[in-house]
């Protein structure tokens, strides 16, 4: 296989058609961000791979059907821009609601739903270190593609009914309210751009250089701490937006400032 996003050699074999080999290699190169200057035209691909125009058209048609490249009659194909999920700052929000508001199909792959003890998280929730917690980890998909890796902890005495809930669809906050009577009213969160670990990147997908938003949230219900959450959201699919004014705008905080040691964060 070619390195640095270059084309791989295709070989005529009776059990693997050329256009399928071309399709696989174009997908690989798209994942590697090899076409930052624009997706090649049919003639360029014919010359690059040494195949017929019909072979190129078969492969590119599949990429168009999958939404990976776009193009209309008389216009060259180009790589498709990912659908961005827009979220406004300064309000209690649900990622599920933000995606639903855009009409994008979504579901989750539940990676863990169990009871755990975590002294650090328990302290953040204002609980004794050995207090049992309900832990949920989900890989959240929007439009069939990974969007976020969500890890959260809830006090067991409040959230025990959630252990029997189905989190492959729907919103946590809806179930927290319906099954446990807990309605979030506020909280605080910290948002920071990071590069995911290799294991996190394998789950989230995107190009190797794709950054993520690290969102740490402490959720409260009438002043009581009822949720600690750490979410990684793909930076190429999520946009934060806010209104601002000269007298009442963002509150910016430098990393390493004294109140970063607050155990609630």
């Amino acid at each position: 296989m070619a390195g640095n996003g270059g084309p791989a050699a295709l070989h005529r074999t009776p059990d693997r058609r050329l256009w399928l080999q071309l399709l696989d290699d174009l997908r690989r190169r798209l994942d590697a961000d090899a076409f930052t200057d624009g997706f090649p035209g049919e003639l360029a691909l014919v010359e690059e791979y040494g195949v017929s125009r019909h072979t190129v058209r078969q492969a590119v048609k599949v990429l168009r059907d999958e939404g990976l490249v776009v193009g209309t009659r008389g216009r060259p194909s180009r790589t498709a821009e990912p659908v961005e999920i827009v979220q406004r700052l300064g309000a209690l929000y649900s990622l599920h609601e933000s995606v639903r508001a855009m009409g994008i199909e979504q579901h989750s792959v539940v990676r863990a739903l169990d009871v755990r003890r975590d002294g650090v998280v328990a302290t953040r929730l204002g609980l004794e270190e050995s207090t049992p917690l309900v832990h949920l980890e989900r890989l959240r998909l929007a439009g069939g593609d990974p969007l976020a890796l969500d890890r959260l902890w809830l006090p067991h005495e409040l959230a025990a009914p959630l252990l029997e809930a189905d989190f492959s669809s729907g919103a946590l906050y809806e179930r927290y309210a319906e099954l446990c009577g807990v309605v979030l009213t506020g909280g605080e969160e910290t948002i920071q751009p990071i590069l995911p670990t290799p294991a996190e990147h394998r789950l989230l997908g995107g190009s190797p250089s794709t950054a993520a938003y690290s969102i740490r949230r402490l959720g409260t219900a009438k002043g009581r701490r009822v949720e600690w959450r750490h979410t990684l959201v793909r930076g190429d699919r999520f946009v934060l937006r806010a209104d601002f004014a000269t007298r009442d705008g963002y509150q910016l905080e430098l990393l390493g400032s004294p109140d970063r040691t607050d155990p609630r964060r």
Side-chain angles (χ1 to χ4, degrees):
M1 182 177 291
N4 299 322
L10 307 183
H11 304 284
R12 298 181 182 276
T13 60
D15 59 342
R16 187 65 171 165
R17 295 182 179 180
L18 275 180
W19 75 269
L20 289 173
Q21 295 180 49
L22 176 58
L23 175 62
D24 287 345
D25 197 54
L26 290 174
R27 284 174 176 155
R28 173 188 65 82
R29 297 176 70 188
L30 284 166
D31 287 341
D33 281 345
F35 304 119
T36 54
D37 295 330
F39 192 78
E42 290 182 359
L43 293 179
L45 290 173
V46 166
E47 181 176 352
E48 194 172 34
Y49 283 94
V51 296
S52 71
R53 195 164 184 175
H54 177 69
T55 297
V56 169
R57 284 177 175 170
Q58 285 181 290
V60 172
K61 180 182 183 301
V62 174
L63 296 178
R64 286 185 182 144
D65 291 343
E66 294 176 342
L68 296 176
V69 299
V70 294
T72 57
R73 189 174 187 135
R75 293 177 179 271
S77 297
R78 66 184 190 280
T79 54
E81 294 294 327
V83 176
E84 292 180 335
I85 312 301
V86 179
Q87 174 57 51
R88 302 197 73 83
L89 289 168
L92 178 64
Y93 71 90
S94 160
L95 184 60
H96 178 270
E97 292 302 316
S98 298
V99 176
R100 183 162 66 182
M102 299 188 68
I104 302 173
E105 181 184 358
Q106 59 182 310
H107 70 280
S108 297
V109 177
V110 177
R111 293 172 47 81
L113 178 57
D114 52 34
V115 178
R116 302 187 182 186
R117 286 174 170 81
D118 187 308
V120 173
V121 174
T123 300
R124 287 170 175 157
L125 289 169
L127 302 171
E128 198 276 327
E129 291 185 1
S130 62
T131 304
L133 307 170
V134 172
H135 174 66
L136 170 64
E137 180 176 324
R138 299 174 291 177
L139 178 64
R140 306 177 67 171
L141 297 94
D145 295 320
L147 171 64
L149 181 61
D150 206 18
R151 305 179 181 104
L152 58 95
W153 294 260
L154 314 166
H156 181 267
E157 66 170 323
L158 298 177
L162 297 180
L163 292 167
E164 304 300 324
D166 178 11
F167 286 102
S168 61
S169 61
L172 167 73
Y173 292 162
E174 292 177 356
R175 287 179 170 79
Y176 211 0
E178 293 169 0
L179 301 178
C180 309
V182 178
V183 179
L184 266 76
T185 55
E188 61 180 49
E189 66 181 21
T190 301
I191 303 172
Q192 180 181 358
I194 66 165
L195 285 175
T197 66
E200 291 166 342
H201 174 72
R202 284 193 293 271
L203 292 171
L204 289 171
S207 71
S209 60
T210 299
Y213 290 106
S214 171
I215 304 176
R216 292 178 169 85
R217 170 182 290 188
L218 176 65
T220 61
K222 297 181 179 179
R224 179 176 180 177
R225 303 174 191 178
V226 296
E227 173 201 31
W228 172 259
R229 180 191 300 239
H230 183 206
T231 303
L232 292 180
V233 188
R234 275 178 53 168
D236 61 345
R237 302 203 65 196
F238 191 68
V239 175
L240 293 165
R241 183 173 295 160
D243 299 321
F244 67 92
T246 56
R247 296 184 62 185
D248 185 15
Y250 306 121
Q251 291 185 353
L252 301 180
E253 181 178 309
L254 295 178
L255 290 175
S257 60
D259 56 356
R260 297 290 291 187
T261 59
D262 186 334
R264 296 175 299 167
R265 293 190 179 271

